[in-house]
Amino acid sequence: MRHQAYDLHMHSTASDGTLSPLDLLERAVQRSLQVIALTDHDTVEGVRQLIAEAPDKLTVIPGAEFTCVWRGRVVHIVGLGLSLESEVLQTYLKRLDLLREERAEKINQRLMKKNIPSLLGLVNERAENSVIGRPHFAQAMVELGIVNSEQQAFNQYLGSGKVGDVKVDWPELSDVLAVIRESGGLAVFAHPTKYKFTFTKIREFLADFAELGGEGIEVSYTGISPSHHHELIRMADMFDLKVSAGSDFHSPKHHWTDVGRFMPIKKDVPHVLDALM
Ligand code: AMP
Ligand code: MN
Ligand code: MN
Ligand code: MN
């Protein structure tokens, strides 16, 4: 698949990615991208550096991927065009950092009950200067030889419904949409087909999302099938949402993905880039 000239969903070491913001920038330049958004989980810590170092030919859009709940189910919302100075945003992200730290302690305790040694030291080391997530536990488990791969760590211990999938009080969708709006950003529903929602459920979600001021929906990303891609474009039209796309890049070790690598949106439909540029 050819590289697109933009990528509106990528992670760095500021959350669970393995490239520093500057290494990610270098990769985007190598791939001749013209517009990128860094969308780390619940943080904008990497964004400032990217903006400072980006060459003139590359536009950096400040972003973040917000974890929240809708009807009790965890969903991800990408905020694009956020104002980094926004106090509402800063206060919100501080709260999330604490929530994730408390959650990490709970995950550790739950794993210890399954006779896994305490991972917290290693996890904190790996997540130093970044927002803590389950992938840091997966990395620690590989490092200690408890599992052979990060994927195995998710399959056995950390994935949905497993012992390390600790429930915490993530913010509600409506809270996140308010924070994004008040920070001058635009809200995009991230990777709709990655939640095990039926298409009926996705439509129900989108009705609420649009009603609450959500403006965009990702219709192309790593792993989506062509038929789902076309179905999501139809839904964007149905709910008057702009389309967005990105690789959800985390690491060069994931050879099936890369920055700017996703199915091109061939249809001429309203795009979030029209609103952002
Ligand atoms: P967290 O924000 O701590 O809940 O971690 C979520 C992140 O973990 C996602 O953004 C992915 O990077 C990764 N992840 C979640 N579920 C899986 C899975 N089943 N297999 C591999 N990685 C996963
Ligand atoms: Mn992630
Ligand atoms: Mn996500
Ligand atoms: Mn992501």
Side-chain angles (χ1 to χ4, degrees):
M1 204 175 300
R2 76 181 185 90
H3 286 79
Q4 305 303 307
Y6 69 95
D7 194 327
L8 301 178
H9 190 151
M10 312 189 301
H11 297 268
S12 76
T13 47
S15 67
D16 58 358
T18 62
L19 293 187
S20 70
L22 290 188
D23 286 342
L24 194 63
L25 182 66
E26 193 184 315
R27 200 175 181 91
V29 169
Q30 277 169 2
R31 305 288 187 271
S32 308
L33 302 202
Q34 291 166 347
V35 187
I36 57 170
L38 180 61
T39 56
D40 275 306
H41 296 285
D42 297 316
T43 182
V44 291
E45 282 303 311
V47 174
R48 227 179 282 272
Q49 208 183 2
L50 275 194
I51 292 175
E53 302 289 332
D56 288 344
K57 57 181 193 266
L58 179 66
T59 303
V60 176
I61 292 170
E65 183 174 13
F66 296 81
T67 306
C68 60
V69 289
W70 169 74
R71 297 192 191 171
R73 304 173 78 156
V74 175
V75 293
H76 289 175
I77 304 297
V78 166
L80 296 174
L82 303 167
S83 161
L84 301 180
E85 311 308 326
S86 160
E87 273 186 37
V88 172
L89 180 64
Q90 286 172 13
T91 307
Y92 177 88
L93 294 178
K94 264 188 211 132
R95 180 178 132 212
L96 262 286
D97 199 27
L98 279 179
L99 183 74
R100 280 177 168 277
E101 275 178 28
E102 288 167 16
R103 173 183 180 239
E105 282 172 23
K106 287 183 191 157
I107 293 174
N108 194 53
Q109 281 166 11
R110 292 263 290 266
L111 292 173
M112 282 176 75
K113 283 194 187 138
K114 295 280 166 195
N115 291 324
I116 288 172
S118 175
L119 301 173
L120 216 48
L122 261 183
V123 164
N124 280 324
E125 219 172 87
R126 291 204 161 255
E128 207 193 346
N129 305 320
S130 50
V131 159
I132 288 195
R134 282 177 288 163
H136 298 113
F137 280 88
Q139 291 164 15
M141 290 175 119
V142 173
E143 201 167 318
L144 291 182
I146 296 165
V147 291
N148 294 321
S149 66
E150 290 167 33
Q151 191 55 55
Q152 193 190 346
F154 270 96
N155 294 346
Q156 292 186 1
Y157 297 105
L158 299 164
S160 177
K162 303 293 174 195
V163 60
D165 178 28
V166 173
K167 299 278 172 281
V168 290
D169 282 330
W170 294 112
E172 283 292 326
L173 172 69
S174 54
D175 294 344
V176 161
L177 294 185
V179 168
I180 293 174
R181 183 174 55 246
E182 285 165 32
S183 329
L186 177 161
V188 177
F189 183 33
H191 45 65
T193 56
K194 287 200 191 165
Y195 306 104
K196 299 187 179 144
F197 283 10
T198 60
F199 274 101
T200 305
K201 205 29 121 222
I202 293 176
R203 274 193 295 273
E204 283 172 20
F205 172 87
L206 290 176
D208 286 356
F209 178 71
E211 168 96 28
L212 289 165
E215 293 180 67
I217 175 171
E218 288 184 352
V219 299
S220 182
Y221 38 87
T222 303
I224 192 174
S225 70
S227 69
H228 286 172
H229 167 69
H230 294 300
E231 183 59 33
L232 291 177
I233 289 180
R234 269 194 293 279
M235 288 200 190
D237 181 50
M238 193 185 300
F239 292 96
D240 221 3
L241 297 168
K242 299 175 184 73
V243 299
S244 184
S247 60
D248 204 359
F249 180 81
H250 281 74
S251 169
K253 281 186 286 176
H254 300 166
H255 49 82
W256 58 89
T257 172
D258 197 357
V259 297
R261 194 159 155 218
F262 49 86
M263 200 186 299
I265 303 172
K266 293 212 179 103
K267 239 179 155 193
D268 187 21
V269 287
H271 198 295
V272 291
L273 280 175
D274 304 335
L276 289 165
M277 304 287 288

